[in-house]
Amino acid sequence: MKKPESDGPEQARGDAPSREEINAILNATHGDAFSVLGIHDINGSHVARCFLPGAETVEACDLDGKSLGKLKCLDEAGFFAGPVDISGFVPIRYHATRGGAEWTVTDPYSFWPVLGPMDDYYVREGSHLRLFDKLGAHQMNHQGVEGFHFAVWAPNARRVSVVGAFNGWDGRRHMMRFRRDSGVWEIFAPDVEPGQPYKFEIIGAEGKLLPLKADPFARRSELRPQTASLTAADLEQEWDDEAHREHWASVDRRREPVTIYEVHAGSWQRHDDGSFLSWDELADRLIPYCSDMGFTHIEFLPVSEYPYDPSWGYQTTGLYAPTARFGEPEGFARFVNGCHKVGIGVILDWVPAHFPTDEHGLRQFDGTSLYEHADPRQGFHPDWNTAIYNFGRTEVASFLLNNALYWGEKFHVDGLRVDAVASMLYLDYSRKHGEWVPNEYGGNENLGAVRFIQETNKAVYGNHPEMMTIAEESTAWPKVSQPVHEGGLGFGFKWNMGFMHDTLSYLAREPIYRKHHHQEITFGLLYAFAENYVLPLSHDEVVHGKGSLIAKMAGDDWQKFANLRAYYAFMWGYPGKKLLFMGQEFAQWSEWSEARGLDWNLLDYPTHEGMRRLVRDLNFTYRSKKALHARDCEPEGFEWAIVDDDDNSVFAWQRKAPGEKPIIVICNFTPVPREDYHVPLPKAGVWREILNTDAEIYGGSGKGNGGRVRADVHGHGGISATLLLPPLATIMLEPED
């Protein structure tokens, strides 16, 4: 076999390696171990060289065990070399002995590269859309041998080795090949099996040995406090979700019902001993619960690997690895598949804004500021003590973009809620004057982050039309949820943080004062259709001393429950998709903590069970009535009926959709029943009271309109009905025919 002209084992420069080269191998300082170790053509003959610490004798063999020649010990530390009887550059094995011990090692330096020139080109260009199939650790059969191919981007390193349980964590055993065109180091490690812990041992540009680094592309990790990556076979999952994915790929999500249950997987429920549920156990409990409750989607706080429980996953060190807290990655795939089989989508909180500075993570990965900016004014986040990704570096942007595609392809997730978008967009986010660096035009916009966000959204929707992206963005940045080709950021939806803050502020006020803050309810409609909004009552509102939603409500206990019931129905009748954090559906009193499960015992009390039943009914009402969801993001789907009755703190509006019966939503945000209250309606006749938050079944006082009201035409031509508005309640009306 003729030696390949490129990308094959390198030819030695002399009959034997120099003492300096041998020492460099023994000390693991050689930056090009493939030029020394492996098979080499020396003046037309083949020579094998290996480093096998602890060996006294070494014999080279082919893969079938046939002897190719005995090697000579050049250094008692374990360096051997000698001629071998082979016809070309093929994988070989070494049979080593020491005393009575024998073992066999397949030579990793006798294999050709796995990556090729086109990989180098696309990696360097930043346009590779399948990096997760090339970088990291991948099980494969290479040149007839099973093992794992390892590849990592570290362009400024002097030497990179993969170390793990399979080589005694010895950086001299698997020193990697450097691909200069891309800055990627790679090696095929034969005979390595799945489930082996590993990291990368790196000598930085200045010759300093760095802390061992976890694999940025690791698909599985050890359970904290351990921090190693784990070799993993390709994900095996028989997917039964074709109909689910085809549905979401074919519809306009803006016109579909979307009601999201936000979940922290580690604290929704726990075992009696306080340990986590596995993904399979969560599937057995959480999926039926959400299906019964009528939620269309489950949104998880980040499930990528992270070291510190109180970060809730927002400081991730392993973007490609589902956290080991809940079992193996296949368990998460089974969970998603189970959700899809009953029509529930799965959304992941995704954190491309920043990363923690743990020494095994991305910070100073190859001894330089590789993933982050070197200047702390650009590369360090003062709020969270984290590093900020350098979005302007093509390889970094590609690393993150590929991660978005990875979750869609490998785990079939239905969407990504992108965390902390505002911190990405603004260079002066949370910084004082002089603490930030303007962009090339002197502005505060992070142009690299803008391009990254736009390219990621284009790639996600282009490659996975069944997915959606949602921005957690709290500023007035324009066109967050408009297409890139129209100058937008390209997100499908944006969290409506203003709605959340204004309405919670209003409901926290004593009812007697609400008439002075009427605009906190009405103002939101001035911008309600500027973006495609999700209305979030999220985890951020029930932590860090903010208390639970029920605790935020004004008044005594009865009023608190009534306020919250009225608020939920107000929100479900308001234009926009819905999101509710776990525990708030049954009005958990205590503030949420990631360290314990929810207070499920509260469901034994009628007021809490009534709240849960209301949220369930709201979900199914919202889903079944197109008037409530089909024009969530378009102004023609909303019309005020009563907007200026601040004295009574009453609001009423119409939700509508083409060809559908309209729904009238009426809110009385005072504890005073309003008798003989006139509400204008768009149609004469009988209207059914399809929901009343004051119903006894929900824990209310039972006041209402007997299930029906009649709208009549008056002398001036207007149409209205005379109603009883229950105290601190929201009702919904629908025409009977």
Side-chain angles (χ1 to χ4, degrees):
M1 178 185 291
K2 182 181 178 182
K3 179 186 176 184
E5 294 182 359
S6 63
D7 282 348
E10 292 79 353
Q11 183 168 335
R13 297 185 296 274
D15 293 342
S18 67
R19 185 70 244 179
E20 181 181 3
E21 288 180 311
I22 293 175
N23 288 340
I25 295 296
L26 300 182
N27 296 322
T29 58
H30 205 297
D32 186 12
F34 279 84
S35 68
V36 179
L37 300 174
I39 306 170
H40 298 271
D41 186 342
I42 307 295
N43 299 324
S45 298
H46 292 103
V47 172
R49 302 171 183 154
C50 65
F51 171 58
L52 296 179
E56 290 179 341
T57 69
V58 173
E59 182 177 11
C61 306
D62 65 15
L63 296 181
D64 295 324
K66 177 184 176 181
S67 177
L68 302 175
K70 294 184 177 180
L71 307 188
K72 180 181 179 181
C73 181
L74 301 185
D75 192 289
E76 61 183 13
F79 194 98
F80 293 81
V84 288
D85 184 16
I86 56 175
S87 58
F89 293 89
V90 295
I92 63 173
R93 290 193 170 107
Y94 300 116
H95 181 75
T97 68
R98 181 179 182 86
E102 299 183 19
W103 68 95
T104 300
V105 176
T106 308
D107 184 7
Y109 298 96
S110 63
F111 291 87
W112 295 351
V114 172
L115 302 179
M118 292 308 295
D119 292 310
D120 292 333
Y121 176 79
Y122 289 122
V123 168
R124 185 66 188 91
E125 189 180 56
S127 60
H128 208 308
L129 295 183
R130 301 200 63 82
L131 278 180
F132 45 82
D133 284 339
K134 300 294 183 178
L135 300 185
H138 295 276
Q139 189 177 28
M140 64 186 306
N141 185 298
H142 186 41
Q143 294 180 252
V145 178
E146 293 290 333
F148 270 81
H149 175 249
F150 296 89
V152 63
W153 179 58
N156 304 304
R158 288 192 182 181
R159 188 266 295 168
V160 178
S161 298
V162 59
V163 296
F166 51 85
N167 63 13
W169 299 91
D170 188 342
R172 303 171 296 177
R173 300 286 295 278
H174 289 88
M175 291 183 280
M176 304 172 78
R177 174 189 281 113
F178 184 50
R179 305 185 68 87
R180 286 178 174 79
D181 289 345
S182 59
V184 171
W185 298 76
E186 69 161 336
I187 194 170
F188 175 73
D191 305 324
V192 175
E193 298 179 347
Q196 295 290 301
Y198 73 95
K199 287 185 177 181
F200 293 112
E201 183 180 280
I202 300 174
I203 294 180
E206 298 180 356
K208 180 182 177 181
L209 183 65
L210 305 178
L212 294 181
K213 294 291 186 179
D215 184 356
F217 280 87
R219 291 171 294 148
R220 188 174 179 184
S221 299
E222 289 184 309
L223 177 62
R224 55 93 177 98
Q226 305 304 315
T227 58
S229 305
L230 293 175
T231 56
D234 288 341
L235 188 71
E236 292 186 4
Q237 170 63 42
E238 293 185 10
W239 293 99
D240 302 308
D241 62 351
E242 184 176 356
H244 174 90
R245 300 184 92 202
E246 286 181 354
H247 167 75
W248 285 104
S250 64
V251 299
D252 183 347
R253 291 172 193 81
R254 299 173 304 164
R255 295 180 172 180
E256 293 293 309
V258 175
T259 172
I260 303 167
Y261 188 52
E262 189 187 32
V263 173
H264 177 259
S267 61
W268 182 72
Q269 286 184 5
R270 288 196 174 185
H271 292 126
D272 291 341
D273 63 1
S275 60
F276 295 125
L277 301 182
S278 69
W279 284 119
D280 290 327
E281 290 170 325
L282 276 166
D284 290 341
R285 303 183 191 186
L286 180 56
I287 295 175
Y289 180 77
C290 287
S291 180
D292 177 71
M293 287 293 293
F295 288 103
T296 63
H297 291 77
I298 298 170
E299 179 180 316
F300 283 112
L301 274 60
V303 301
S304 295
E305 193 56 77
Y306 59 101
Y308 185 51
D309 285 11
S311 80
W312 314 329
Y314 288 100
Q315 295 199 11
T316 179
T317 53
L319 276 178
Y320 286 80
T323 175
R325 288 166 174 81
F326 316 117
E328 74 286 349
E330 286 77 9
F332 180 62
R334 290 192 295 271
F335 181 93
V336 175
N337 189 55
C339 285
H340 289 179
K341 289 169 71 174
V342 296
I344 295 175
V346 177
I347 301 169
L348 299 185
D349 277 14
W350 187 52
V351 191
H354 60 114
F355 59 90
T357 57
D358 298 62
E359 66 176 15
H360 70 280
L362 297 179
R363 181 175 178 269
Q364 294 283 304
F365 189 79
D366 64 356
T368 67
S369 297
L370 188 62
Y371 285 87
E372 72 275 26
H373 283 276
D375 188 333
R377 295 176 298 170
Q378 298 171 284
F380 184 75
H381 204 298
D383 286 356
W384 304 309
N385 292 323
T386 53
I388 299 172
Y389 286 104
N390 185 349
F391 302 107
R393 180 167 283 165
T394 55
E395 295 91 343
V396 174
S398 182
F399 165 73
L400 295 169
L401 184 153
N402 269 264
N403 186 247
L405 299 178
Y406 171 82
W407 289 104
E409 176 171 327
K410 301 298 185 182
F411 292 97
H412 288 202
V413 303
D414 299 83
L416 298 172
R417 175 268 197 187
V418 185
D419 182 62
V421 172
S423 74
M424 300 166 66
L425 293 174
Y426 295 97
L427 295 167
D428 60 348
Y429 184 89
S430 226
R431 296 178 187 272
K432 300 176 182 177
H433 179 72
E435 295 179 347
W436 58 282
V437 180
N439 63 31
E440 58 195 274
Y441 303 107
N444 67 341
E445 303 88 357
N446 189 332
L447 303 180
V450 172
R451 286 190 293 269
F452 158 71
I453 290 170
Q454 291 175 327
E455 291 303 313
T456 298
N457 280 320
K458 285 165 56 179
V460 168
Y461 283 103
N463 289 275
H464 296 288
E466 73 282 359
M467 290 180 67
M468 60 178 162
T469 59
I470 306 168
E472 189 230 353
E473 205 284 320
S474 55
T475 73
W477 188 284
K479 299 184 177 182
V480 171
S481 59
Q482 292 190 28
V484 174
H485 67 266
E486 294 182 1
L489 293 181
F491 287 101
F493 294 96
K494 171 183 173 175
W495 271 20
N496 191 337
M497 313 291 276
F499 166 88
M500 177 176 64
H501 294 308
D502 286 351
T503 55
L504 285 177
S505 173
Y506 181 85
L507 269 297
R509 301 181 189 281
E510 293 293 336
I512 193 172
Y513 301 119
R514 288 176 180 170
K515 62 183 178 181
H516 303 297
H517 301 275
H518 204 69
Q519 75 285 352
E520 289 183 329
I521 297 295
T522 61
F523 177 71
L525 270 302
L526 296 179
Y527 62 86
F529 307 104
E531 302 277 2
N532 304 323
Y533 279 121
V534 172
L535 311 179
L537 294 177
S538 74
H539 66 279
D540 279 330
E541 297 309 304
V542 294
V543 292
H544 298 323
K546 296 179 182 178
S548 62
L549 291 185
I550 185 70
K552 294 176 188 291
M553 300 294 109
D556 57 22
D557 283 0
W558 186 92
Q559 291 192 16
K560 286 181 184 294
F561 277 95
N563 269 310
L564 190 58
R565 290 193 301 267
Y567 182 40
Y568 283 163
F570 163 86
M571 173 173 156
W572 261 253
Y574 195 95
K577 309 309 178 186
K578 325 301 177 190
L579 180 144
L580 185 64
F581 184 57
M582 64 181 198
Q584 310 313 305
E585 77 275 16
F586 60 81
Q588 175 165 302
W589 278 108
S590 61
E591 185 175 85
W592 170 63
S593 169
E594 83 287 338
R596 61 177 183 269
L598 300 180
D599 298 330
W600 293 99
N601 62 298
L602 292 177
L603 289 175
D604 294 335
Y605 298 90
T607 49
H608 294 278
E609 169 58 21
M611 191 72 72
R612 185 202 65 81
R613 185 172 293 186
L614 171 64
V615 172
R616 181 183 187 274
D617 288 352
L618 285 171
N619 277 335
F620 282 108
T621 301
Y622 169 72
R623 292 173 63 170
S624 63
K625 307 296 183 181
K626 286 191 175 181
L628 288 175
H629 68 251
R631 292 297 183 269
D632 261 335
C633 305
E634 298 161 83
E636 57 266 29
F638 177 92
E639 183 179 341
W640 280 113
I642 298 173
V643 67
D644 55 0
D645 188 3
D646 50 349
D647 278 343
N648 293 311
S649 297
V650 171
F651 306 84
W653 63 86
Q654 179 184 172
R655 295 298 308 278
K656 49 190 176 178
E660 301 295 328
K661 294 181 180 179
I663 303 291
I664 300 296
V665 182
I666 309 164
C667 303
N668 174 16
F669 283 127
T670 66
V672 180
R674 305 292 178 186
E675 298 184 4
D676 298 328
Y677 194 95
H678 295 278
V679 177
L681 297 176
K683 180 182 179 180
V686 176
W687 287 67
R688 292 190 304 118
E689 193 176 69
I690 62 173
L691 189 133
N692 178 352
T693 66
D694 195 47
E696 291 180 354
I697 195 173
Y698 303 137
S701 64
K703 296 185 182 298
N705 297 276
R708 282 174 171 78
V709 299
R710 173 172 291 279
D712 297 312
V713 180
H714 299 287
H716 52 75
I719 302 172
S720 67
T722 302
L723 282 76
L724 167 65
L725 302 187
L728 292 175
T730 296
I731 62 175
M732 294 185 184
L733 306 177
E734 180 186 58
E736 198 164 69
D737 51 31

